[in-house]
Amino acid sequence: MAFLIKSMIGNPLSGIGLGGGGDKEEEAAPTDPAKAAGMTREEYEEYQKQVVEEKMERDADFLNKKAERATLRVCLRDKYRLPKSEQDDNMIEMAGDDVDVPEELLKMVDEDATEEEGKDSLMGQFQNLQNMDMDQLKEKASATVTEMKTKAEEKCSVM
């Protein structure tokens, strides 16, 4: 009940706009960001410098990772003889000479290349023949021949 009466009557000078009620709002919102963060001016400036340095470091790391990925894509494009990408070349140039593809990835690419070269060669094909089970191959061929004979005998009355 008291609240209603206070809100109805209120401060008679607050509605006039003579500056009687505006002081509280200005005190509530300090204009200095250091005070808003609860720090001194020097602490706030040092904090801002740290934030900027960390952001620059993260951006540099991100750029380096992107360049590493672009380098790996270039290696794969060379391996599979695909057309080059101008975007990857630009990314590598932006990163400069700091681009190092992880050794594990390079080893994987090199291993794949040597495996494919081995499979494509004539010696690789002979090795595949040596790995086959000849007895199983003979059984399969003879089963196919007998199956074809039985089907031919069923369909042809001369045989």
Side-chain angles (χ1 to χ4, degrees):
M1 186 77 169
F3 174 72
L4 269 165
I5 294 173
K6 268 190 175 180
S7 66
M8 291 172 85
I9 296 173
N11 189 357
L13 294 178
S14 67
I16 297 174
L18 295 175
D23 292 337
K24 293 179 184 175
E25 292 176 12
E26 290 177 12
E27 290 175 350
T31 57
D32 191 17
K35 288 181 182 176
M39 298 183 233
T40 64
R41 187 76 165 153
E42 292 82 23
E43 289 175 342
Y44 185 73
E45 288 176 0
E46 188 174 324
Y47 171 74
Q48 288 297 327
K49 286 180 185 177
Q50 287 177 348
V51 168
V52 169
E53 288 174 2
E54 289 173 359
K55 184 179 184 324
M56 289 173 55
E57 189 175 322
R58 283 193 312 267
D59 290 344
D61 289 343
F62 181 69
L63 182 66
N64 193 19
K65 290 285 185 187
K66 285 177 74 172
E68 286 176 0
R69 291 184 199 116
T71 304
L72 186 62
R73 284 193 299 268
V74 167
C75 289
L76 290 172
R77 282 194 178 99
D78 289 343
K79 174 183 169 183
Y80 293 111
R81 296 177 189 93
L82 297 173
K84 293 186 177 184
S85 171
E86 204 171 298
Q87 184 179 8
D88 288 341
D89 293 338
N90 292 338
M91 184 60 61
I92 294 170
E93 286 178 20
M94 284 176 46
D97 294 333
D98 297 338
V99 181
D100 293 329
V101 178
E103 290 182 25
E104 297 93 23
L105 293 175
L106 286 176
K107 286 179 184 177
M108 288 172 43
V109 170
D110 291 339
E111 287 173 3
D112 288 345
T114 54
E115 286 178 13
E116 287 183 16
E117 288 174 4
K119 288 180 183 177
D120 291 342
S121 69
L122 186 60
M123 292 301 291
Q125 296 298 327
F126 282 135
Q127 287 178 349
N128 284 341
L129 287 176
Q130 289 176 352
N131 293 337
M132 294 179 126
D133 186 15
M134 295 306 272
D135 293 332
Q136 182 183 8
L137 190 61
K138 287 178 185 177
E139 290 174 10
K140 193 172 186 180
S142 63
T144 305
V145 169
T146 55
E147 183 181 332
M148 287 175 55
K149 281 184 181 178
T150 56
K151 284 187 180 181
E153 290 175 356
E154 290 176 1
K155 290 183 179 180
C156 183
S157 59
V158 177
M159 290 183 97

